[in-house]
Amino acid sequence: MPNSNPSGDAPNGYVVVQRGSARLEVVPLTSGGRVTVGRAPSNRIILNDPKCSRQHCEFFAREGHWFVRDLDSRNGLTVDGLTVTDDWELEIGQTVGIGGCALLYTDREPRDDDAVDRSEGSAAAPFAVIERKTGTRFDAPPAGQTAPPSGRHGVAELFRLAQAMTSAKDEATLTGSVLDGLLSGTSADVGAILLFPGSREDDDYTSLEPRAVRAPADTETPHFSGYLSQLVLADRQALLVHDIAKDDSLSHRESLNQLDATSAICAPIRHHDDVLGLIHLYSTSATEPLDGEQLEFTLAVADQLAGHLAALAEKQRLISTATEAQQTARELRDQLQVETELIGASKALEAVRSQVARVAPTDATVLIRGESGVGKELVARAVHFNSRRKKGPFVCVNCAALTESLLESELFGHEKGAFTGAAGQKAGKFEQADQGTLFLDEIGEMNPDLQAKFLRVLEGQPFERVGGGKAITVDVRVVTATNRNLEEAVRAGEFRSDLYFRLQVIEIVVPPLREHAGDVPIIAQHFARQFARKAQRPIHGFSDEALRVLSEHHWPGNVRELRNVVERAVILSDSDVLTPRDISLSKIAPDRSQAEPDSSEFNGERPTEPGSRAASSPPRDEDVLKRFMEEELTLDELDRRYMEAVLEQCRWNKSQAARLLGIERTTLDRRLKKYGMQRPAV
């Protein structure tokens, strides 16, 4: 053993601390001593390296030898590139790696004129660095100069290898073809291309990953010199090394001993100011060692390879960007698929699409009208995402779902302490929708007092948060929707006429599903695919009989009802094709293929006035409707009777009745209060 001592005392030695080609300090190791290494000032060797722990490791003597021990550091340490977990007995010339620093163990004190980079042979570094290269004769010569002769490894060989690089479609093919070309064009018989991962903190050679390795078939996969890698990464120069087999720092490499490597080339793969990786080439021939001409050729190939690797990385980045863009587009499309979709080929839907296309680019206020469940919010989203505000927020508020005080706070925000429970300042929906679109659903349910404040904001006036005094101005496009007859509400004094005219700049009417029943099969098949994919069910659509059943239904809940029917069928079906037995239709409006129920089940029928609440359900009996019309009932009376019929059918379960009516529970409560309706005493 080189460091054995018959007396049992460990021999004196030295630790040479280096970062790249710079020598930081030389620390003596004395028998019986202990030297700690870390970032903390209490250590004998202080390393200012981000990968070095406060107390990282220690050198200590035992039984006549020097050892190194990891002190539970975060990033660990290596000896000649091998990760160390237990006490490691050091041999002369071995290097301990910590982050970007190298600690060389040697038995003699380096002289001031010693070359730190080991370009001279020494006891600590028996191999010889024959030549270093930063540039090659293949580079473009300076102006006014001619290129030197190409030598044995000339432009033709480099051109052929460049052609192979150009045809490579991926990193594995590229690195493999380059390494094969280098081994066939040089005297090397062992080689590797090592690359850094996509993201790294520094040029730490331990993070290099082998992407292509070639060695004789009867040998083990070789390890490659971490010390050579350190030198090349520090100087960014290609190295030609002879007498590598004599290097003590490589003596523990069993595979290299078997190969008996005599010379090596290590070249950086440089792209602009970055090093992408390294090329290692080893020759086992004593008569045909690697030479300076092969060094130049390898460095030229490395520079060519760097450009192709960068191009492949950029291509992958563009593919990833395109994939992200496609995902974003899908997400935006998904945003337009809330509740329902404007799917279908009917003239009625085409008219709606045409209106959206004309209105969206403007900043005009839009009023969307239609029965519950027809897709008014989807139309509002289409207006927003086809406008110049599409990169801004799209904010929704259901005016019927909140009480008057809560709706005011929701729209305009509030200050801390404005009311009980206002624990902090809150921005309202108008502020949240600045530079975007604010969609107010069921605008007809807004309280008249709040309508006045809302009108002022629509006309460009600033507003104040509830409990605040600061004037706030926003740039918001307002889109509203209602299934209520606003004209009747204006005549009844329930809706301000000035607000009505302000909202009705552009009006888009979304037709009920029964008016474009030919789209039912298309929409149903779309929902079936959507829910089958979501539920991971092997559903392939509807049978012809099932589509006929769907087409003949009146759909009082419109597309929302159809969506729910399809979702229920997909989840509960036992077959891969949906049949009539999988379809459960609403009893409030059975399809005409079934027998008409007795009219005594209902006390009233839906009104036929467009926009009224009860317009979402067809009459149960034409004779009953005719009788109502002969009685000259008002719309409110028709609405009251229809609500009463639904409530009786639901045994006054208000939540169920609200769902069948297609309105919010709070809206139902207000209507009951308005008509003075109460549950009959049992």
Side-chain angles (χ1 to χ4, degrees):
M1 301 282 295
N3 61 345
S4 61
N5 190 322
S7 66
D9 294 332
N12 294 337
Y14 299 89
V15 174
V16 182
V17 184
Q18 300 178 179
R19 186 189 299 276
S21 60
R23 179 190 300 164
L24 302 182
E25 65 175 320
V26 178
V27 179
L29 299 175
T30 57
S31 180
R34 174 176 176 266
V35 175
T36 61
V37 182
R39 285 190 295 110
S42 58
N43 294 285
R44 174 59 185 85
I45 299 176
I46 302 172
L47 296 183
N48 186 19
D49 190 292
K51 291 192 174 182
C52 182
S53 299
R54 290 185 59 81
Q55 193 170 41
H56 200 99
C57 69
E58 65 176 352
F59 293 87
F60 65 95
R62 186 175 68 196
E63 299 176 355
H65 303 283
W66 283 100
F67 292 77
V68 65
R69 173 187 295 158
D70 186 4
L71 298 177
D72 295 324
S73 63
R74 174 177 296 182
N75 295 304
L77 56 86
T78 62
V79 175
D80 287 344
L82 290 179
T83 301
V84 172
T85 56
D86 300 319
D87 294 352
W88 182 280
E89 181 182 344
L90 291 167
E91 297 181 5
I92 299 299
Q94 288 192 323
T95 300
V96 177
I98 301 175
C101 297
L103 287 72
L104 170 68
Y105 169 57
T106 179
D107 60 351
R108 70 179 183 87
E109 183 177 7
R111 302 186 307 273
D112 290 340
D113 59 345
D114 279 347
V116 176
D117 59 11
R118 302 185 180 186
S119 58
E120 300 287 335
S122 68
F127 64 82
V129 176
I130 301 301
E131 191 172 357
R132 297 175 181 270
K133 281 289 181 180
T134 301
T136 73
R137 67 179 182 275
F138 299 100
D139 300 334
Q145 297 184 19
T146 58
S150 61
R152 287 182 296 117
H153 298 83
V155 176
E157 289 78 5
L158 185 62
F159 177 73
R160 282 193 291 271
L161 199 48
Q163 283 184 312
M165 295 187 210
T166 303
S167 62
K169 302 301 182 183
D170 54 65
E171 189 179 272
T173 304
L174 174 63
T175 54
S177 62
V178 167
L179 186 56
D180 289 339
L182 285 170
L183 292 179
S184 65
T186 66
S187 57
D189 44 13
V190 178
I193 294 179
L194 313 176
L195 299 180
F196 284 112
S199 59
R200 66 184 193 273
E201 295 180 1
D202 51 33
D203 289 343
D204 182 0
Y205 77 94
T206 60
S207 62
L208 286 165
E209 300 173 353
R211 301 300 170 87
V213 178
R214 300 289 188 271
D218 57 346
T219 62
E220 299 178 7
T221 301
H223 296 280
F224 299 95
S225 171
Y227 181 68
L228 283 181
S229 297
Q230 280 183 304
L231 288 178
V232 172
L233 290 173
D235 297 335
R236 302 197 175 193
Q237 295 179 323
L239 292 181
L240 170 61
V241 177
H242 283 187
D243 299 325
I244 191 172
K246 300 177 183 179
D247 182 11
D248 288 336
S249 67
L250 298 175
S251 61
H252 65 281
R253 308 288 193 184
E254 181 180 355
S255 58
L256 287 178
N257 286 337
Q258 292 173 347
L259 291 172
D260 194 23
T262 59
S263 58
I265 287 175
C266 186
I269 303 172
R270 305 168 299 189
H271 182 67
H272 301 310
D273 295 330
D274 193 16
V275 176
L276 306 182
L278 300 175
I279 294 176
H280 278 259
L281 298 177
Y282 293 83
S283 173
T284 62
S285 173
T287 58
E288 294 185 26
L290 295 164
D291 57 28
E293 189 173 306
Q294 295 177 28
L295 174 67
E296 276 197 288
F297 181 71
T298 302
L299 183 57
V301 171
D303 289 341
Q304 289 282 330
L305 174 60
H308 287 279
L309 286 171
L312 281 177
E314 177 64 13
K315 178 181 177 181
Q316 186 59 47
R317 186 191 68 79
L318 292 174
I319 292 174
S320 299
T321 301
T323 302
E324 291 175 2
Q326 291 171 353
Q327 178 63 27
T328 301
R330 283 194 294 269
E331 290 174 356
L332 288 176
R333 287 196 297 270
D334 290 342
Q335 284 183 303
L336 297 178
Q337 294 170 357
V338 177
E339 295 295 331
T340 182
E341 290 184 290
L342 287 178
I343 295 174
S346 64
K347 292 183 178 180
L349 281 184
E350 187 56 40
V352 173
R353 295 192 191 98
S354 178
Q355 284 183 286
V356 170
R358 291 196 300 269
V359 171
T362 72
D363 249 357
T365 304
V366 178
L367 173 63
I368 304 171
R369 307 184 75 156
E371 299 175 7
S372 179
V374 295
K376 296 187 291 294
E377 182 176 337
L378 175 62
V379 174
R381 288 180 180 272
V383 169
H384 170 73
F385 287 108
N386 286 279
S387 72
R388 63 178 181 83
R389 298 174 178 268
K390 61 184 177 181
K391 294 184 179 179
F394 179 81
V395 180
C396 300
V397 179
N398 189 325
C399 298
L402 301 168
T403 63
E404 177 185 349
S405 58
L406 287 178
L407 180 58
E408 182 178 11
S409 171
E410 191 75 9
L411 289 177
F412 304 108
H414 62 254
E415 299 290 345
K416 181 178 180 180
F419 50 83
T420 302
Q425 185 188 80
K426 177 185 176 182
K429 298 300 185 184
F430 267 104
E431 291 179 74
Q432 296 174 25
D434 192 28
Q435 304 300 317
T437 302
L438 177 62
F439 173 57
L440 299 178
D441 199 6
E442 298 199 51
I443 187 67
E445 306 304 321
M446 183 181 287
N447 182 277
D449 293 336
L450 190 55
Q451 291 174 21
K453 186 174 182 179
F454 176 51
L455 177 61
R456 289 195 299 272
V457 179
L458 278 181
E459 292 177 341
Q461 299 292 328
F463 63 90
E464 300 172 354
R465 297 192 185 105
V466 177
K470 178 184 176 181
I472 301 172
T473 303
V474 294
D475 178 15
V476 174
R477 180 182 193 172
V478 174
V479 177
T480 59
T482 184
N483 57 9
R484 184 179 180 184
N485 189 325
L486 291 184
E487 292 78 10
E488 279 293 326
V490 170
R491 286 194 289 270
E494 298 174 353
F495 201 84
R496 295 177 62 101
S497 60
D498 49 0
L499 177 58
Y500 168 78
F501 290 116
R502 182 66 182 81
L503 293 177
Q504 203 185 29
V505 177
I506 301 292
E507 183 175 285
I508 298 178
V509 178
V510 186
L513 184 55
R514 62 181 173 275
E515 291 185 6
H516 56 107
D519 289 328
V520 168
I522 301 175
I523 301 172
Q525 294 282 24
H526 168 78
F527 283 141
R529 289 191 298 269
Q530 184 183 81
F531 290 122
R533 184 169 57 250
K534 183 178 179 181
Q536 297 183 344
R537 298 290 310 282
I539 303 296
H540 302 305
F542 292 88
S543 67
D544 292 341
E545 182 62 21
L547 290 177
R548 185 187 66 79
V549 171
L550 293 174
S551 298
E552 292 178 354
H553 187 56
H554 285 288
W555 300 111
N558 291 295
V559 184
R560 180 186 290 127
E561 181 188 0
L562 175 57
R563 182 182 187 274
N564 294 340
V565 167
V566 175
E567 182 176 16
R568 182 166 55 245
V570 168
I571 293 174
L572 299 179
S573 177
D574 295 327
S575 63
D576 57 357
V577 176
L578 301 177
T579 63
R581 68 184 181 86
D582 298 314
I583 298 171
S584 178
L585 298 174
S586 169
K587 295 181 180 180
I588 194 172
D591 69 48
R592 291 173 183 248
S593 65
Q594 301 175 3
E596 291 287 342
D598 187 81
S599 61
S600 62
E601 294 182 14
F602 290 84
N603 292 327
E605 291 297 333
R606 70 175 184 92
T608 56
E609 177 72 15
S612 64
R613 285 288 189 195
S616 62
S617 177
R620 299 292 296 242
D621 190 328
E622 299 293 342
D623 294 334
V624 174
L625 179 61
K626 182 178 180 181
R627 175 166 56 82
F628 284 166
M629 295 177 65
E630 290 173 351
E631 293 178 15
E632 297 183 353
L633 297 175
T634 65
L635 288 175
D636 280 348
E637 179 62 18
L638 281 172
D639 195 19
R640 187 193 67 78
R641 292 194 183 189
Y642 184 63
M643 290 176 58
E644 185 178 37
V646 174
L647 285 164
E648 287 183 1
Q649 183 183 5
C650 298
R651 295 183 174 84
W652 276 78
N653 183 322
K654 292 182 181 180
S655 297
Q656 184 179 358
R659 285 195 298 270
L660 291 175
L661 290 168
I663 61 177
E664 298 290 337
R665 168 67 184 271
T666 54
T667 304
L668 177 61
D669 289 335
R670 285 198 295 273
R671 291 300 181 90
L672 293 176
K673 183 177 180 180
K674 173 183 176 181
Y675 298 140
M677 297 172 62
Q678 294 182 349
R679 182 171 186 170
V682 180

